[in-house]
Amino acid sequence: MANDISENETLHIVASLESLVPLVELASSLGTTFRIPLRVAQHGDHTTLFFDAPVPNHTWSAKQRNQLVFDWAWKAAVLNWPQAISVDTKLTQTQDDTTTDSEWHHDTDENHTYNMWRFGDMNVLIRHQVDGFLSADGGKRHCMMSTKLDYQHQNGTDEVTTATERAVNWLRSFVAGHAIVLEARVDVPNGRVYHVHKKNMADIMGDKWRPMQESNMLHYLFHQLHR
């Protein structure tokens, strides 16, 4: 789909949300290391760069492994999979287990949404996935799910949200249309969720913080790679 759009629209960058996360993290942690597949497509005299999801690390720290496990466990525990909604309007949901080519296969539906943004002087197409929907203000809001791991909660000490975590929450919420971030606070040693924060964009940004550094970092990287 992204290839078709890039051939018919003047796109400079096509990126997945997963590829933007480590780029935003650079703003507060220049020591971040990652590998992102990058493909260059030429359509006449126009060039489009495609950023794919980062390649998994060869080695994982204990904290990184815990983050991955608790992220998936949190989604598995909360999301209502049987009532998942197909994002392909050409397919229909059935109530039984019998499926045909014209019916919705929720196990293989990747729930991809493409949004086009004007980022300074560049056109950027971003692919992302919404984790679910949350009832709010009499309707339904897009919801992104995350976990915040605490290792000293049993001793009365909770970890504060880091600059990197706040920037990533802002990015995920913003790309998904100011989605609510449902953040579970996890007592890691005891393997339990002890609190859930429902964060709107105002909660993520607070009174004074603005993502200028992160936005400038992304714009600079896009320009340097595209030129």
Side-chain angles (χ1 to χ4, degrees):
M1 178 177 177
N3 286 323
D4 295 336
I5 295 176
S6 66
E7 291 177 0
N8 296 290
E9 300 286 344
T10 304
L11 288 178
H12 301 92
I13 303 292
V14 176
S16 65
L17 176 59
E18 294 83 3
S19 70
L20 297 182
V21 167
L23 297 179
V24 164
E25 291 176 343
L26 281 175
S28 56
S29 179
L30 292 176
T32 301
T33 58
F34 52 84
R35 293 175 296 160
I36 296 177
L38 178 63
R39 180 168 62 89
V40 180
Q42 195 75 31
H43 304 296
D45 58 355
H46 177 70
T47 300
T48 302
L49 301 184
F50 290 79
F51 293 76
D52 210 337
V55 177
N57 296 330
H58 291 302
T59 59
W60 292 66
S61 68
K63 283 190 175 183
Q64 288 174 324
R65 292 195 298 270
N66 286 341
Q67 189 71 59
L68 181 65
V69 169
F70 281 110
D71 279 346
W72 277 105
W74 175 229
K75 291 180 181 180
V78 173
L79 294 178
N80 192 348
W81 296 109
Q83 295 185 17
I85 300 173
S86 172
V87 296
D88 190 338
T89 57
K90 294 180 294 184
L91 303 180
T92 57
Q93 182 178 1
T94 59
Q95 298 299 322
D96 54 41
D97 295 329
T98 304
T99 58
T100 66
D101 291 339
S102 63
E103 294 170 344
W104 170 44
H105 300 271
H106 72 273
D107 289 332
T108 57
D109 188 345
E110 295 185 342
N111 178 26
H112 284 156
T113 299
Y114 290 83
N115 292 329
M116 188 180 297
W117 303 84
R118 184 66 178 174
F119 192 21
D121 56 351
M122 307 185 80
N123 291 327
V124 180
L125 184 70
I126 300 178
R127 183 189 73 211
H128 73 279
Q129 292 177 309
V130 174
D131 290 330
F133 296 92
L134 191 66
S135 297
D137 302 325
K140 288 186 177 181
R141 292 272 303 277
H142 287 168
C143 176
M144 308 294 279
M145 303 184 67
S146 66
T147 59
K148 170 67 175 175
L149 306 188
D150 286 314
Y151 290 85
Q152 299 294 329
H153 176 70
Q154 59 187 354
N155 298 325
T157 303
D158 295 336
E159 296 186 21
V160 299
T161 299
T162 66
T164 297
E165 290 169 338
R166 179 173 55 185
V168 170
N169 282 338
W170 158 75
L171 177 67
R172 297 180 71 218
S173 175
F174 182 79
V175 168
H178 283 215
I180 292 173
V181 175
L182 202 62
E183 181 185 81
R185 300 292 299 233
V186 179
D187 177 2
V188 176
N190 294 307
R192 67 182 184 90
V193 173
Y194 68 88
H195 190 74
V196 176
H197 291 289
K198 187 172 69 172
K199 295 184 176 182
N200 294 296
M201 182 62 80
D203 302 317
I204 296 170
M205 298 183 66
D207 296 330
K208 298 181 179 179
W209 182 80
R210 296 294 180 269
M212 295 304 299
Q213 185 175 353
E214 291 76 12
S215 298
N216 290 337
M217 172 71 76
L218 281 177
H219 193 259
Y220 173 80
L221 290 174
F222 286 164
H223 257 286
Q224 292 300 307
L225 291 170
H226 190 272
R227 68 178 184 178

